[in-house]
Amino acid sequence: DTGVSQDPRHKITKRGQNVTFRCDPISEHNRLYWYRQTLGQGPEFLTYFQNEAQLEKSRLLSDRFSAERPKGSFSTLEIQRTEQGDSAMYLCASSLDPGRTLNGYTFGSGTRLTVV
Amino acid sequence: GESVGLHLPTLSVQEGDNSIINCAYSNSASDYFIWYKQESGKGPQFIIDIRSNMDKRQGQRVTVLLNKTVKHLSLQIAATQPGDSAVYFCAESFSGGYNKLIFGAGTRLAVHP
């Protein structure tokens, strides 16, 4: 296991289309997070899973966004009816629970979404 | 609301010099502070963290200082190298929650030979 994997690395889509991203966390990590990052800004928290349970969702996660982690392993993030404002880097991270430090909080390389 | 911000958007240093990147935070409940390095096209990479019951922590060539009185965090990089060129983010978290990280906007460090 070499870390957190995200697929695809890049996605270009037309406005109004649906897109789905996948994240494979570090295998023993039971916590999984999705963040969104726009150019020049720090990542913004979107949602969090502990095992298969989605325990927190940001107000940034509109009704067009849905995330799942059906078996407590990989996760998917779907955006329906994409808008140009959805263009960003979507980052996934995973960690162990309960971590006394965040040293194990590991990010993937992200999926860059461009909505045209 | 909660926020983590940085004083300087860009920092240019000569190779071999020491670098200091600063950060201000606003949430008194935060008890973990983390510095990340992000290179172009990559996700944030953990550098060092510090808990709120400490005021200093050292790693390899890096030191993080925490001043809770003024809610200030800094990252010191000794003998800066070209490979240190990247964007650096500070982030805060509350361990009693779900370890959601709140990031600032970042500082770009440019190391010149």
Side-chain angles (χ1 to χ4, degrees):
Chain A
D1 193 323
T2 57
V4 178
S5 299
Q6 292 189 246
D7 182 72
R9 289 296 309 276
H10 304 275
K11 178 70 176 179
I12 300 174
T13 190
K14 292 183 178 179
R15 188 175 53 186
Q17 297 295 304
N18 300 342
V19 294
T20 300
F21 310 140
R22 176 179 170 123
C23 171
D24 287 273
I26 293 174
S27 58
E28 62 266 28
H29 286 185
N30 58 349
R31 291 186 169 188
L32 186 146
Y33 311 80
W34 285 98
Y35 288 80
R36 181 173 68 188
Q37 184 177 26
T38 54
L39 195 63
Q41 302 296 314
E44 297 174 292
F45 172 82
L46 292 178
T47 190
Y48 156 73
F49 289 86
Q50 183 157 331
N51 299 312
E52 66 276 8
Q54 187 174 20
L55 298 184
E56 187 173 352
K57 293 170 62 174
S58 164
R59 288 169 292 181
L60 295 173
L61 216 64
S62 75
D63 292 343
R64 296 185 297 105
F65 288 71
S66 62
E68 295 183 343
R69 195 183 183 196
K71 299 181 180 180
S73 56
F74 73 92
S75 176
T76 58
L77 176 67
E78 181 183 17
I79 309 174
Q80 295 181 328
R81 304 181 302 283
T82 51
E83 302 172 356
Q84 287 187 323
D86 296 332
S87 296
M89 174 78 83
Y90 290 85
L91 291 162
C92 177
S94 69
S95 73
L96 277 169
D97 166 45
R100 290 187 58 80
T101 77
L102 296 176
N103 196 351
Y105 203 117
T106 305
F107 281 87
S109 293
T111 294
R112 180 165 294 285
L113 173 66
T114 302
V115 181
V116 297
Chain B
E2 301 172 359
S3 65
V4 174
L6 296 172
H7 297 306
L8 299 173
T10 305
L11 177 64
S12 295
V13 299
Q14 291 295 121
E15 182 178 356
D17 287 352
N18 297 334
S19 303
I20 300 176
I21 302 173
N22 297 303
C23 173
Y25 67 93
S26 61
N27 187 356
S28 299
S30 294
D31 57 359
Y32 263 118
F33 303 89
I34 313 99
W35 282 100
Y36 283 92
K37 173 186 180 183
Q38 188 172 27
E39 297 172 294
S40 180
K42 297 183 179 180
Q45 177 186 358
F46 175 93
I47 301 172
I48 191 169
D49 63 353
I50 188 169
R51 300 180 68 182
S52 59
N53 61 353
M54 302 172 67
D55 54 18
K56 181 179 180 178
R57 190 168 185 218
Q58 289 184 297
Q60 186 175 9
R61 286 202 303 118
V62 295
T63 300
V64 57
L65 300 177
L66 175 63
N67 185 331
K68 294 182 290 295
T69 302
V70 296
K71 297 180 183 175
H72 184 267
L73 191 68
S74 70
L75 176 70
Q76 299 178 359
I77 304 174
T80 314
Q81 302 170 359
D84 295 327
S85 294
V87 177
Y88 289 79
F89 294 97
C90 65
E92 59 180 306
S93 180
F94 173 55
S95 62
Y98 299 129
N99 295 135
K100 172 178 67 178
L101 298 179
I102 300 171
F103 286 83
T107 293
R108 180 172 300 280
L109 176 65
V111 182
H112 303 286

